[in-house]
Structures are given as C-alpha cells and as structure tokens.
C-alpha cells in the first residue's frame, strides 16, 4: 500500500513553500529545533507569551507545542490558547508530550491539550503509553503503564503501538512513536520507518525538534500520515548520512553535521535511502 | 569620507577592554550570543529578572535588549527598567526589535522601548519598516508597511533605508539594517557593508547575536556609527572566512566555525578583508 | 593520601547506572549541559516549574541547581522546594552560585539556598568568595570580598581556598573552585586538579554544565569528594583531548569535540591522563 504523497515530493514542497511554523518549545530545545527547521526548509518562530499566542498562531502555517520544561500557569495558558486558535482556524498542530508520565501535573496538562485536538502527537514509547493512561483511553491488546525515566523511554515502539492506535482512533489524529523502528499510525494504517541512528538518543532535543519538523510538513501536505512520514524520513536519513561521515565521532559532531545534512539532503537521495513500509492494521 | 575610528583598531580595543555586556536576550539566542560575545572578546551576562535589571545594568559597560520570545509583563518590566537605567547612567544600549510587525502587542512594546532612547537599533528590513510604523514616524520617500514573515524579512535593506533615516533622526540613534548589503545610518551618513554570507539567514540567532556584539563595541567606542560598523565587519568577515573553509558544508558547520573565526580574526585580516563604503546622505 | 573511590571506576559506574539528574538550570546553559550529561552517561531532566519541583526531584537520583539567569520569585520558589525535597529525601544536590556577588538579590538567594544544605557547591573563585561573604562565614587567612566581573572570575582558585574551607566546614559540604588549577575541598582534605584548558573560559556554560556533571557523579558515589573529583577529571581530560585535535581551532570547535570526548573517554585513558593530588589540610 503506497502513500498518496511521496516523501521525495514533499521535501521539495517544504523548501518551496518555506512555511512559518510557530513553536511553543521547551527551553532546552529552542535553539536546536530552530536550526533544524531553518536547515530543513521552514521558517521558525518561537513564541510563548499568552499575549501573542493567538496572534502568532493566526499568521503561521502550522503550530508545534512541546510541554517541555516550564509547565507553569502562564505557559499552560499560552499552550491552550494557541492550540484552540489553531483548531478553530483549521491549522495543523503537533503535540510533543515530553516527559508524560513523570508527574501527575504533566499528565493532566497533556490530557487537557489532547482535548484541543492535535493533528499529530509525537513521543517515545513511554510517553505515548503514559498519554493513553492520562487520557483514560482503553488500550486493546495491553501495553504497560508507560513510566519512562524522566524524558527517556524505557520501552520499545512496538510495545506502545496499541496505545498509539487507541489514541489515534479516539482523537482522530496521527500518533508517531520514536524508537529503534519508528511507528506512525492514524489508527487504520501503520508506517514503519527503519532509518535513523541510535546516537540520536544521546543528543538532547532530537525528538523535540523532529516534532517541530512534523508540524512544518503538515503545513505543506494535508495528509498528516504522509506529512509525518516525510518528516521522519528527512530527519532520520540525514542522521544516517551523518553517521557515515569520517569526521563524525560522537554526539557533538553528529549534531552539527545533522544540521548540514538536513540542509543538503536531495529529493533523489531521500527517495533512494528511504526504508519504510506501509501496512493496513 | 572616512570613519573616525578604524574597525581594525576597535577590534583590539574590544579584546583589551573585554567589556561586560548585560543582555536581555530571547531564549533561542541566549546560548549562541553568549558564545559570540566570548569568542569576539567581550564578557556576557544574561539576566532577565526584574529584581536584577537595575543592579546588573549598573555594573555593565553596555546593555542589549532583544524583545524576543517572551513578551510577558515580567520581561517587559525588566526591559523597561534596564533601558531606563542605561539611559540615566549614560551607558550605551542596543535594541533588537525582533519580529516587529508580527503582532500589535509586539509593535506597542517596541515603540515603548524606543522612548527609552536606544543608542542603536539593529533589525532586518521588515523589522525596521514595521518599527517606523509602530513609532508613527513619518517616512520620506515611501517604504512599505514592513510586515515580514514571523521573524524573517521579506524586503531588502535598501527598501528600509527611508524608514531607518526617519527613525535615526527622530530618536537620535543609529539604525542598522541587516541584509544582502547591510546599511548603518545615523540619519546624516550611511555606511554600506558588503561582507557576510547568505547562509547566515539559515542560522538561528545570527542577527540576535550581532545585536549584542554591537552593544559590546559601543562599550569601547563613543561613536555609535563607528562601533556598529566594526561589529558588523567583525561578524561578517568571520562569516566570509568560514564560507571559504573546506570543512564547512552547511549551516551546522558554518555556525561552529563562525565562532572560531570570531575568536581568531586578526586586526590585520579585518582591515584587509573589510568591504565598506561611507556616504553622506 | 589516595581517594576511596578511583575516578576510573566511577566513570564506569556512571555509564552503567545512567542516573536521572534533575536540573534547575539557567537558560543559557540548558542545552549544553543536557548534551554534556547525555554524552557523559547520565540522563538529564530540565525542569523549573514550581508545580513539578517536588515530584521530579523525588524520581531523580540527584539534583543540580544553578541560580542562573532568572532569579524571579517563581524560579526561587522552585529552587527552594527542589532543594528541600532533595535534602529531606537524602538525595545529593549541587548548587552553582553563578554570578554570586553581582547583586544583593543574588547574594541573598544564594545564602538562602545554602541553608537547604547542598552536598556540593561549584563555582569560580570570585563566586566562592562572594558566597562566603553572603553567608557571613568567617574566613581564616583572609581572601578578598570576591566581586568578579558579572559571571567571570577576577581571582585565582588558591585565593578562594580559605573561603572554600570555611564554607565546607560550616555547611558540611564539598566546595569545588574552578580555575587554572581546580581545587576541591571538604574542609579537611583538598584535591588539586591540573587537567583542563583555559579555552573553557571562552565557552559559555562550561562551568554550569560541569556542576550538573558533579550531581551525576554524586548519584553513583556516596563520597562527594570522590564524586566531584571524578566529575572534574572526566570533564577536564575530555577538554585536554579536545585541545590536541588538529581540527580544533577555537572555542566553537572545542565545544563540539568536547561532547564527543566526554562520550568516548575510556576508563583507562582517564586513569592514564589524570593529574591530581590529594592533600590533608
């Protein structure tokens, strides 16, 4: 079963349209994800004041919200307002429920944001399972209670697939689960991605910036499943190319050359290197 | 018409005096601009609490304010207090009106800060035009309403020159407009800078950090026009040197080696590579 | 006099146990210190909301607090709550009194945090001397009033040793003073470290991230003196290795390759390169 929009076409669309992506991003990831978006072909705007949440969302083509580092009342209000604005204006928005499962407060806020109907949720396996619990979604075929260690996952992506499917069906959104194999599902189809390098888990904000890239692709493609697949391939293939470079010897150099490769990756190389499968559920 | 202070002398002054520069900087740019200042020869202090705005400004040699990511009441109060303190103490201060034009709230706060009389304003063409509108300054010779796309410019620097001149005259400050050709004006003279690389637009916080470098140079030279010219040349020539390196292949490596070249650029190489012209208006 | 726990053993413990370290970190240093912790072998969580300070501290193995950029009432409350929680739960916690001495407000908050009994305090000489003053600790054998320039030191580490000893005895903690020679003391013993490169003073957040690494090592070793010694050696030897690389030409490349070397440094190479002495006081 093929996708309707080929990733190799979408990377060109992204660069041609250079969409403005508003990000409510955590402090740690702001710098890196702004550079990821610029290198990939989008135009980032990092904003977090309540006073600007509505106005900036309206002039943007997509929104990305990461519950991040500062779940204070002011930030929560900005997230809620931006998400509601995006939903009401029909603009795509992506939720990154980072660290979901770590505290009761975080679980509550993530569940609140799910009610504002994100187009896409991207997290690791522990976060997706914890999110299903937080939203009191019934998960068919089990799955643990999530948990994780702080913001790091303690489970594989396959383990979180039932939770992902349940969330996708309940909220009519796309759920993307990062892991050794990445899984993207809309509840009726799953895409498996076999590109990407384990060293990404040693680079802070890798996942957080991938979420913002998902938002950028949603701005140029109205199928969220296809958009997220293209975003993962762009990011993960750039990481594969980086790992092959002789000058890359650890997470410091990987991070730097990853930005170059996001910028330089051609549409043809993306098509050539993409390792993904589409399955009906 | 020559400048009174040669850029090649000012780079030595900066390194000898190593001035303390207080920065109220946006979250995205804090890390990069602190590294830019350290590499160039200054000592950065990033502070944003109202409780310290006055005290830290008083012990600093210059102040840089970027309206950035968090235009909340607390931050605005800190900006206002720091700017007023700098003005009252006769210390130079630089305003970066990033994203001016994007929301009405942002326009209002930028106009408010202009009343605290910055020594220098640095922005892209869209921001400078939007700032002139926000300040209700009459622009002779036209110029559009600004606008821009989020924090990125949609106009060339020449297009914003009338707005820059009008602002410089009204507020008795220096206006610096970043672009393919950079323009710096005090309302009666304009300096054109032809160094610098387009890839800088793909590196987040490049402009924001250049603004802090302008503040650093203002701390060691009492002609703001000359100080800003030196800051632009230091930054842009370091970028030119970076683009010539074989190991630089995109925005990720450019950003890293730019820091090295800010650090290593000699006074002689700066004099040799500088491409600028001074014109009476 | 040897240490009870060898640094070469502790680096293995760190990587095996991969402790979760909660950090209340300043904005400038969040990204870099998260990458330092990941590369070294720990799992960072950057959190600063009051609402999560207690919950996140309880699930973490150690806590690191940097008074940093935003000494606002909200942040202060989160710091106080996290520190008290760590103390009550018997978890190690590290204080980085960055910029202590710069404002009266900063001195007060640092003194307040000392009452929550940190396991370790790491700072530069100016900060440690200012902290002793702020805490009204009687310093035997003199030492100036501290002061510093913003967040940079104006004194050598030896000059701050009397203040460090006085603080260590009064608060029953370990004091680590960064400088050309680093000094670590618990009040009865001092460890001198002769690894590390001066260029680290030109890289923002180098000291701030070292403080978080001290917290990580405290999570795997119950002797704070030994833990901090291992943290300094890991960080400083990685810096020494970086300085020997032909591709490293300034602070930009140093910072990137430092991360790689933190990741790649073997236990054997650490033992081989370590230059430290232990003296009874």
């Amino acid at each position: 079963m093929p996708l309707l929009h080929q990733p190799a076409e979408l990377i060109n669309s992204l660069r041609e349209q250079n969409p403005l992506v508003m990000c409510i991003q955590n402090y740690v990831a702001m710098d890196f994800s702004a550079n990821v978006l610029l290198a990939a072909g989008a135009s980032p705007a990092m904003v977090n004041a309540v006073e600007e949440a509505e106005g900036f969302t309206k002039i943007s083509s997509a929104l990305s919200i990461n519950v991040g580092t500062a779940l204070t009342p002011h930030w929560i209000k900005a997230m809620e307002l931006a998400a509601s604005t995006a939903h009401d204006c029909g603009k795509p928005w992506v939720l990154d429920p980072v660290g979901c499962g770590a505290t009761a407060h975080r679980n509550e806020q993530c569940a609140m944001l799910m009610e504002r109907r994100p187009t896409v949720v991207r997290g690791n396996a522990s976060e997706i399972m914890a999110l299903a619990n937080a939203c009191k979604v019934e998960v068919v075929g089990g799955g643990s209670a999530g948990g994780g260690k702080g913001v790091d996952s303690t489970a594989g992506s396959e383990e979180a697939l039932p939770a992902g499917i349940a969330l996708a069906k309940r909220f009519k959104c796309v759920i993307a689960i990062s892991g050794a194999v990445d899984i993207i599902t809309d509840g009726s189809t799953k895409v498996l991605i076999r590109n990407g390098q384990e060293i990404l888990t040693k680079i802070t904000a890798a996942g957080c910036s991938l979420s913002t890239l998902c938002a950028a692709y949603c701005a140029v493609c109205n199928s969220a499943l296809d958009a997220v697949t293209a975003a993962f391939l762009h990011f993960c293939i750039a990481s594969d190319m980086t790992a092959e470079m002789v000058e890359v010897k650890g997470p410091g150099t990987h991070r730097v050359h990853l930005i170059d490769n996001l910028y330089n990756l051609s549409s043809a190389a993306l098509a050539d290197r993409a390792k993904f499968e589409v399955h009906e559920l």
Side-chain angles (χ1 to χ4, degrees), chain A residues 9-29:
Chain A
E9 287 164 30
L10 293 179
I11 193 174
N12 291 334
S13 302
L14 183 71
R15 287 166 178 167
E16 280 154 25
Q17 297 180 38
N18 184 235
L20 180 60
V21 180
M22 166 166 166
C23 304
I24 301 185
Q25 181 59 287
N26 71 67
Y27 300 127
V28 183

Side-chain angles (χ1 to χ4, degrees), chain A residues 4-230:
Chain A
L4 288 176
H5 307 82
Q6 287 311 306
E9 287 164 30
L10 293 179
I11 193 174
N12 291 334
S13 302
L14 183 71
R15 287 166 178 167
E16 280 154 25
Q17 297 180 38
N18 184 235
L20 180 60
V21 180
M22 166 166 166
C23 304
I24 301 185
Q25 181 59 287
N26 71 67
Y27 300 127
V28 183
M30 280 190 189
D31 173 67
F32 188 61
S33 56
N35 278 307
V36 163
L37 286 177
L38 282 168
S43 176
M46 304 273 154
V47 178
N48 63 277
V50 171
E51 292 78 2
E52 295 194 305
E54 191 180 339
F56 242 111
T57 302
K58 284 186 175 167
I59 60 168
S60 301
S61 299
L63 167 70
S64 176
I65 294 181
N66 180 302
V67 295
T69 37
L71 268 172
T72 62
H74 183 94
W75 279 71
I76 292 167
K77 209 172 151 189
M79 291 174 190
E80 192 178 348
L81 187 54
S84 298
T85 304
H87 181 263
D88 293 350
C89 298
K91 291 180 196 266
W93 80 274
V94 175
L95 174 66
D96 187 327
V98 61
C100 190
T103 68
H105 176 66
R106 194 161 283 258
N107 294 346
E108 277 163 36
Q109 302 311 327
C110 288
M112 176 277 287
L113 287 166
M114 288 302 288
E115 297 299 331
R116 271 73 191 166
R117 300 296 163 136
T119 315
V120 176
V121 179
R122 193 217 60 83
N124 62 38
S126 293
E127 288 159 351
I128 296 300
M129 288 190 284
L131 184 64
N133 283 327
C135 294
K136 299 186 174 54
V137 168
E138 199 189 339
V139 177
V140 180
S144 84
K149 187 163 78 175
V151 298
D152 293 333
S153 187
T154 52
S157 52
E158 274 292 342
E159 209 179 320
L161 182 57
I165 293 171
L167 285 164
K169 287 184 174 169
R170 161 81 170 277
F171 294 100
K172 306 206 183 315
C173 63
V174 163
I175 301 290
I177 311 163
S178 290
V181 176
D182 306 305
I183 307 178
I184 305 162
T185 183
D186 60 3
S188 60
T189 302
K190 71 171 177 182
V191 180
L192 305 183
I193 307 235
R194 299 187 190 279
N195 296 98
Q197 299 287 321
E198 196 189 345
I199 192 103
L200 289 173
T201 63
K202 297 298 174 197
I203 299 172
T204 202
C208 300
S209 58
L210 176 50
S211 293
T212 65
L213 192 59
C214 290
Y217 272 95
C218 284
V220 300
C221 172
N222 56 19
S223 159
L225 192 75
D226 297 3
V228 173
T229 300

Side-chain angles (χ1 to χ4, degrees), chain A residues 247-270:
Chain A
E247 56 267 62
V248 172
K249 291 166 188 146
T253 41
H254 195 99
R255 187 171 126 127
V256 170
H257 290 280
L258 176 62
I259 297 289
D260 279 8
N261 286 321
L262 285 167
Y263 184 72
N264 291 321
L265 178 61
S266 69
S267 173
L270 186 146

